[in-house]
Every structure is written in structure tokens, then in C-alpha cells.
Amino acid sequence: MEIKRIAVGILQANCYLLVDGGEAAVIDPGDEPQKIIDAIEKSGAKLKFIANTHRHFDHIGANAAIAEKFGVEVMANLKDGDILAIGKLKLKVVETSGHTPDGICLAENGFVISGDTLFEDGIGRTDLEGGSDAQMAASLKKLDALIPDGAAVYPGHGDVFIYRKGMAREWLDYLN
């Protein structure tokens, strides 16, 4: 299993290319479609789907170009407990509203793609349209119960970090 981080666009949003067993998925292709297409082609894997952690422009901007190029679906309307599979990977959808009403994280044993819900040094903004402090608080509690100590967290912006138990709950004080 390989996870490649590709920072794209003016806001340097993280797009992730996951590859396992000859299959691939793209998470949050926000911009610079050719950069992402080149990474997919270089991997040699067959792109199976595109998924987005939320629908802000910096996470969806290249959806159409990549979907058209590879003839794949953009997974939409994902709900808690849905499973997205590539190779032997089984990504569990975890609804995490707060930054946006439709926010999700994708969890697997040992790692989580957190979108703009959780960063090493903070959480996603809740003051934008559709944001909610109460929903973010519930999402942070959910993530803290879900993410194991020592798991890798792949955020929507910035560097990958290692989760320590209680990290998400620490940000609840920020919301109060």
C-alpha cells in the first residue's frame, strides 16, 4: 500500500493518491489536474474512483478532468459506515460535519484521511457557510474514539502527522 501526497492549487490543498494491489483512488483532487494525472499514470495502477472529504473548491476543482480522463466515478453522498475498496484496502467513511455539513474522513487500520476536519495544529474553520461549532465538537469526539494512538493522519492541508490519543478532544476547548 502506498499513499502519495500531492499539494495542489493556490491553497496547497493535499490530494492523495492511494495505490494497492494494482488499483488506485484519488482523494480530494483540488486543482492542477495534469499533475495528478501524471502521478496516477506513473503509479501504473488502474484508477478505480475519486472521493472528496468535502466540497470546497480547493478539494474538488480537478474532479471533472480526472473523472473524464480515466472514465471513473466521483463518489458522492457517502454515509457513515460506507466502505470504499481499492486492492485490499477498505476505507471506512466517517461522517465529520462541522467544517462543512457534508464533511467525511476516510479511515483504515493505521491511518485516517481527515480532510479539513483535523490538522496537527488545529481544526477546520467553522465560520464559513455551513460550518458548525456543535457539529465539529461531535465530529472531534467521534474521531478521538476512532483513531488509534500512533495512527498516521493525512490532513487536507499541511504535513502528515502521528495521532496521539486525546488530540482531537483537546480542540473542544477551542470551540467553547
Side-chain angles (χ1 to χ4, degrees):
M1 190 265 311
E2 177 186 358
I3 302 175
K4 178 176 177 57
R5 180 173 65 112
I6 308 163
V8 295
I10 193 163
L11 297 179
Q12 290 294 281
N14 289 332
C15 169
Y16 294 104
L17 174 62
L18 285 71
V19 178
D20 191 67
E23 295 182 334
V26 171
I27 312 301
D28 287 349
D31 198 0
E32 300 182 70
Q34 192 58 54
K35 186 176 182 179
I36 299 166
I37 289 167
D38 291 346
I40 296 164
E41 290 176 340
K42 184 178 178 184
S43 78
K46 179 178 176 22
L47 187 63
K48 199 168 171 192
F49 62 84
I50 298 165
N52 302 110
T53 58
H54 63 291
R55 301 207 186 284
H56 281 161
F57 76 94
D58 57 326
H59 293 264
I60 66 167
N63 276 357
I66 293 169
E68 181 179 323
K69 168 75 177 171
F70 294 98
V72 297
E73 181 181 356
V74 178
M75 305 304 284
N77 302 314
L78 297 169
K79 300 292 180 207
D80 250 349
D82 286 351
I83 301 294
L84 302 176
I86 59 161
K88 292 183 181 176
L89 285 178
K90 305 280 189 252
L91 301 169
K92 180 181 177 185
V93 175
V94 181
E95 290 183 50
T96 54
S97 57
H99 177 61
T100 62
D102 64 346
I104 64 166
C105 292
L106 298 170
E108 231 286 6
N109 290 335
F111 74 89
V112 173
I113 297 173
S114 65
D116 285 0
T117 300
L118 181 64
F119 304 100
E120 183 171 25
D121 59 355
I123 57 175
R125 294 177 59 174
T126 57
D127 61 336
L128 301 172
E129 184 178 343
S132 164
D133 286 350
Q135 289 175 358
M136 179 62 83
S139 293
L140 293 173
K141 288 176 186 173
K142 182 190 285 188
L143 286 177
D144 193 55
L146 172 81
I147 304 173
D149 197 46
V153 179
Y154 295 82
H157 301 269
D159 293 329
V160 176
F161 63 94
I162 301 302
Y163 191 78
R164 64 182 159 64
K165 209 63 177 158
M167 192 177 225
R169 283 184 173 270
E170 290 171 10
W171 290 104
L172 292 175
D173 290 339
Y174 171 79
L175 293 172
N176 296 328

